[in-house]
């Protein structure tokens, strides 16, 4: 009973200290939900006055649908709100870890570290989700008073759960950054690292592939979908979709948030228990992460600067190497100063610096020299489940391929249906029915041996090269695409076999 009373007493005291964050949360949701809903209702009422009586029910349905879209987990406004609030409550709750005096004070209390951790976490949840819940209920009542919808309550509950889990995901990511660092500046940098590193790495890989691989068409699921979604920020803002299907996408984001939040909760609790009180004021709280973080950062900066110099200086590898080596040295020296908090350590651990430079240059060479044969790749025929070929040599009429239909509803005119034609970048998804896979592979091999640049003229005639996209779906589940540029006469026989 005594420990329970102490828990609630500490919970209450911590809430008082962080009362300003609760005020910020209340004001944020008051304006973003209650006031915004009132504005929507006012706009709806003004519109109803001008529509025919027979169209009132349709106008109300449109209003309810607009409200559902507004509160959905695809709204970037709420993504920004919950991301910002997660940073505020996390920093306000655990900022004492960066002060030696406050750490000694908290750790001298007659409570376990687990209890302190859950007090801070529970208060953070209360501070954000209580005003959000109350505002959602008020907004729901306001909408229900003006338009009835049987599924509105369920929709509100669904989005409340979704945004709550996305908030927890971002909150625990910020807490992880704070657990691993010893001062506020490095904590902010660590938070930026967790949010941006892997999405930027994805962009870097695609940049290298598109620059050095002549047949580059797409980077695949891992680079285009998985790496960006390692970032909780990208999941929250839905920057890189796992799926084009809305239901699959929504459930994937919510499920991912739930699982990763649970893992991060346990990880943060473990780190909090292991974190030494002396870590306050240091740059990094755990020495074991210094080396991997340094290597990841230095190598990334080095290969980035290589590409910048390479492109600026008209594809000069010499300037690229200079930029890669010099930026690696500068980045490594800077990180050593930060780690040791001593400018004299600027050239410490020269061997590690040399290894970073070497790895950076090797990674550049892998792409620039196509070490693994990206442009020469042709799968084994026994590994192919299905294949597709889309050729601009045969037709450019994209409008015959339809992949999306949308019904446009209007209160003043009949409903209309429009179809969105598939572009040349998507229509091959609908042509995976080629039976003669051997002809596809022969075509690919001819394109590799005789292909040229886009629209380049051939010496032996008036023909110009045109695009040919070859797509493979392998039995392993991988989807691989390559794009070639070649003239018609070089592959006429193979195209005839494929399309016949």
């Amino acid at each position: 009973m005594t420990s329970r009373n102490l828990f609630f007493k500490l919970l209450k005291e911590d809430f008082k200290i962080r009362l300003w964050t609760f005020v910020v949360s209340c004001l944020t949701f008051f304006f973003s939900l209650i006031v915004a809903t009132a504005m929507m209702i006012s706009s709806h009422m003004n519109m109803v006055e001008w529509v025919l009586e027979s169209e009132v029910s349709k106008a109300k349905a449109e209003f309810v649908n607009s409200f559902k879209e507004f509160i959905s987990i695809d709204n970037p406004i709420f993504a920004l709100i919950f991301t910002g609030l997660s940073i505020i409550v996390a920093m306000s709750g655990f900022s004492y870890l960066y002060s030696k005096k406050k750490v000694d004070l908290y750790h001298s209390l007659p409570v376990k570290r687990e209890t302190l951790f859950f007090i801070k976490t529970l208060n953070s949840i209360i501070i954000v989700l209580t005003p959000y819940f109350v505002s959602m209920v008020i907004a729901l009542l306001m909408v229900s008073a003006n338009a009835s919808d049987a599924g509105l309550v369920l929709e509100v509950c669904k989005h409340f759960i979704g945004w709550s889990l996305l908030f927890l995901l971002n909150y625990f990511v910020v807490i992880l950054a704070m657990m691993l660092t010893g001062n506020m500046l490095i904590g902010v940098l660590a938070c930026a690292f967790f949010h941006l590193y892997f999405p930027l790495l994805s962009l870097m890989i695609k940049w290298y592939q598109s620059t050095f691989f002549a047949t580059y068409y797409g980077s695949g699921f891992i680079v285009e979908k998985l790496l960006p979604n390692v970032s909780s920020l990208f999941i929250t803002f839905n920057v890189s979709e796992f799926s084009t299907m809305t239901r699959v996408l929504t459930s994937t984001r919510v499920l991912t948030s739930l699982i990763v939040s649970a893992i991060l909760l346990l990880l943060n609790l473990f780190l909090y228990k292991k974190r030494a009180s002396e870590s306050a004021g240091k740059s990094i709280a755990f020495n074991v992460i210094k080396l991997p973080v340094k290597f990841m950062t230095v190598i990334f900066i080095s290969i980035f600067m290589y590409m910048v110099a390479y492109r600026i200086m008209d594809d000069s590898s010499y300037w690229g190497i200079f930029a890669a080596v010099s930026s690696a040295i500068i980045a490594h020296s800077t990180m050593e100063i930060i780690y040791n908090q001593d400018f004299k350590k600027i050239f410490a651990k020269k061997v590690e610096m040399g290894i970073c430079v070497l790895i950076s240059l090797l990674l550049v060479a892998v792409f620039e020299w196509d070490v693994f044969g990206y442009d020469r790749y042709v799968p084994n025929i026994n590994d192919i489940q299905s294949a597709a070929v889309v050729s601009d040599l045969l037709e450019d009429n994209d409008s015959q391929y339809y992949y999306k239909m949308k019904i446009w509803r209007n209160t003043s005119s009949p409903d209309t249906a429009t179809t969105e034609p598939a572009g040349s970048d998507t229509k091959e998804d609908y042509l995976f029915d080629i039976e003669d896979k051997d002809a596809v592979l022969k075509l690919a091999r001819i394109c590799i041996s005789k292909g040229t640049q886009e629209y380049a003229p051939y010496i032996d005639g008036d023909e110009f090269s045109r695009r040919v996209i070859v797509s493979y779906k392998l039995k392993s589940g991988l989807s691989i695409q390559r794009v070639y540029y070649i003239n018609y006469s070089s592959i006429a026989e193979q195209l005839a076999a494929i399309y016949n």
Side-chain angles (χ1 to χ4, degrees), residues 373-385:
Y374 183 96
D375 287 334
R376 304 184 299 275
Y377 174 80
V378 176
N380 189 302
I381 192 170
N382 296 322
D383 297 331
I384 301 175
Q385 179 179 340

Side-chain angles (χ1 to χ4, degrees), residues 17 27 32 104 111 113 131 157 208 233 238 263 332 350 364 368 409 460 462:
I17 296 172
L27 290 174
S32 63
D104 292 338
V111 291
R113 286 199 180 189
C157 293
Y208 266 78
L233 189 67
N238 191 25
I263 294 172
H332 186 276
K350 298 182 181 63
V364 170
E368 189 166 357
R409 301 191 181 280
D460 56 350
D462 296 330

Side-chain angles (χ1 to χ4, degrees), residues 430-458:
Y430 300 88
L431 301 175
F432 276 98
D433 56 357
I434 298 175
E435 295 181 0
D436 193 349
K437 297 182 179 62
D438 188 56
V440 175
L441 296 182
K442 287 180 181 178
L443 181 145
R445 292 188 181 98
I446 292 173
C447 289
I448 291 171
S449 60
K450 297 184 179 181
T452 181
Q453 299 297 316
E454 184 175 7
Y455 300 122
Y458 277 74

Side-chain angles (χ1 to χ4, degrees), residues 79-104:
L80 180 63
I81 288 172
F82 280 103
T83 302
L85 289 176
S86 67
I87 295 173
I88 291 173
V89 294
M91 292 288 185
S92 66
F94 287 92
S95 60
Y96 75 91
L97 292 174
Y98 296 150
S99 172
K100 293 181 180 180
K101 291 182 178 180
K102 291 182 179 179
V103 167
D104 292 338

Side-chain angles (χ1 to χ4, degrees), residues 118 299 455:
F118 283 113
I299 292 171
Y455 300 122

Side-chain angles (χ1 to χ4, degrees), residues 166-231:
L166 288 169
F167 159 72
L168 290 175
L169 175 62
N170 282 279
Y171 172 77
F172 286 127
V173 168
V174 179
I175 295 300
L176 178 62
M178 299 188 72
M179 292 298 168
L180 296 175
T181 57
N183 64 66
M184 184 63 73
L185 176 60
I186 306 302
V188 172
L189 292 176
C191 187
F193 179 90
F194 288 134
H195 281 319
L196 300 175
Y197 183 84
F198 289 101
L200 291 177
L201 179 62
S202 171
L203 292 175
M204 180 80 75
I205 293 172
K206 288 192 282 188
W207 192 14
Y208 266 78
Q209 288 178 323
S210 62
T211 300
F212 294 118
F213 297 156
T215 63
Y216 170 77
Y217 180 66
S219 299
F221 176 79
I222 293 177
V223 175
E224 294 182 353
K225 301 296 182 182
L226 188 60
L227 278 179
N229 284 292
V230 172
S231 165

